[in-house]
């Protein structure tokens, strides 16, 4: 069937395959085929339990998505089977970010959650956000620290175990 109501341009699985989410609560695997004629073909489709408000990510053979009901899911990228699911406690309020083998998810209850990516989504830690959401993707420092910047000017760092590193810095002061 046709892919209609496209919300996100999708994420590449490989050179000729995309993952696409639509506003009809469906996830599609779309492939570019060059023979006999050049065309896009939906090769797989699965229904989603809830709308996906932010884009999907693809990492190490898994499709990662968070839905409006506050579920974080990892699907096998080839079969689109559910591999792992976690209830976040609140809906996602920002993009999903991957730094190394860690997935960072911001939720509407003003928390950022860190998950280890592997066969299962393993929650490593959560941290409360002060006053505003994240301003963009966390950054990995050469020493292994993860640096966060918030929209209100706060900058802070944690190690991979979620322990604070140094003091937070306020760009507004």
């Amino acid at each position: 069937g046709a892919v209609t109501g496209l919300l996100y341009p999708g994420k590449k699985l490989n050179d000729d395959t995309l993952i696409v989410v639509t506003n009809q609560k469906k996830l599609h695997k779309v492939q570019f085929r060059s023979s006999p004629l050049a065309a896009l073909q939906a090769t797989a489709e699965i229904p989603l339990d809830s709308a996906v408000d932010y884009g999907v990510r693809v990492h190490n053979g898994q499709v990662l998505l968070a839905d409006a009901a506050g579920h974080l899911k990892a699907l096998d990228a080839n079969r689109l089977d559910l591999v792992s699911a976690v209830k976040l406690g609140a809906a996602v309020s920002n993009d999903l970010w991957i730094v190394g083998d860690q997935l960072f998810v911001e939720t509407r209850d003003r928390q950022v959650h860190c998950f280890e990516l592997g066969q299962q989504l393993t929650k490593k830690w959560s941290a409360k956000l002060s006053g505003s959401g994240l301003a963009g993707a966390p950054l990995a420092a050469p020493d292994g620290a993860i640096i966060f910047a918030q929209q209100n000017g706060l900058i802070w760092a944690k190690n991979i175990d979620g322990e604070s590193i140094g003091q937070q810095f306020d760009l507004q002061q």
Side-chain angles (χ1 to χ4, degrees), residues 140-153:
D143 65 356
I146 308 295
I147 301 168
F148 299 85
Q150 290 183 237
Q151 295 168 2
N152 62 3

Side-chain angles (χ1 to χ4, degrees), residues 43-77:
T43 58
E45 172 187 306
I46 62 166
L48 300 172
D49 298 329
S50 186
V52 174
D53 294 331
Y54 293 91
V56 298
R57 296 286 178 256
V58 176
H59 181 76
N60 288 344
Q62 291 184 339
V63 176
L64 305 161
L65 63 91
D67 65 28
H71 295 100
L72 176 64
K73 297 179 181 181
L75 308 173
D76 178 272

Side-chain angles (χ1 to χ4, degrees), residues 114-167:
C114 175
F115 292 88
E116 185 173 346
L117 295 171
Q119 287 297 327
Q120 298 291 313
L121 293 167
T122 305
K123 188 172 187 176
K124 295 191 74 165
W125 53 266
S126 294
K128 282 294 240 181
L129 297 172
S130 299
S132 72
L134 295 176
L139 301 173
D143 65 356
I146 308 295
I147 301 168
F148 299 85
Q150 290 183 237
Q151 295 168 2
N152 62 3
L154 292 178
I155 298 176
W156 44 279
K158 290 200 174 280
N159 67 18
I160 205 62
D161 295 321
E163 298 164 344
S164 293
I165 299 173
Q167 295 181 353

Side-chain angles (χ1 to χ4, degrees), residues 7-141:
L7 286 179
Y8 306 106
K11 294 295 175 189
K12 256 174 93 163
L13 280 181
N14 54 45
D15 287 340
D16 64 358
T17 307
L18 293 174
I19 293 293
V20 178
V21 176
T22 67
N23 61 1
Q24 286 90 22
K25 296 193 275 186
K26 292 183 181 175
L27 184 138
H28 299 267
K29 190 188 243 186
V30 179
Q31 190 173 50
F32 175 75
R33 298 197 172 154
S34 57
S35 179
L37 298 172
L40 290 172
Q41 176 71 41
T43 58
E45 172 187 306
I46 62 166
L48 300 172
D49 298 329
S50 186
V52 174
D53 294 331
Y54 293 91
V56 298
R57 296 286 178 256
V58 176
H59 181 76
N60 288 344
Q62 291 184 339
V63 176
L64 305 161
L65 63 91
D67 65 28
H71 295 100
L72 176 64
K73 297 179 181 181
L75 308 173
D76 178 272
N78 291 320
R79 299 181 316 274
L80 301 183
D81 295 335
L82 183 65
V83 174
S84 183
V86 176
K87 178 74 172 152
L88 294 169
V92 172
S93 59
N94 216 327
D95 278 333
L96 304 180
W97 294 299
I98 297 173
V99 178
D101 285 329
Q102 312 303 314
L103 175 69
F104 295 92
V105 181
E106 180 184 334
T107 53
R108 289 202 175 124
D109 59 353
R110 293 283 183 229
Q111 292 191 65
V112 62
H113 308 274
C114 175
F115 292 88
E116 185 173 346
L117 295 171
Q119 287 297 327
Q120 298 291 313
L121 293 167
T122 305
K123 188 172 187 176
K124 295 191 74 165
W125 53 266
S126 294
K128 282 294 240 181
L129 297 172
S130 299
S132 72
L134 295 176
L139 301 173

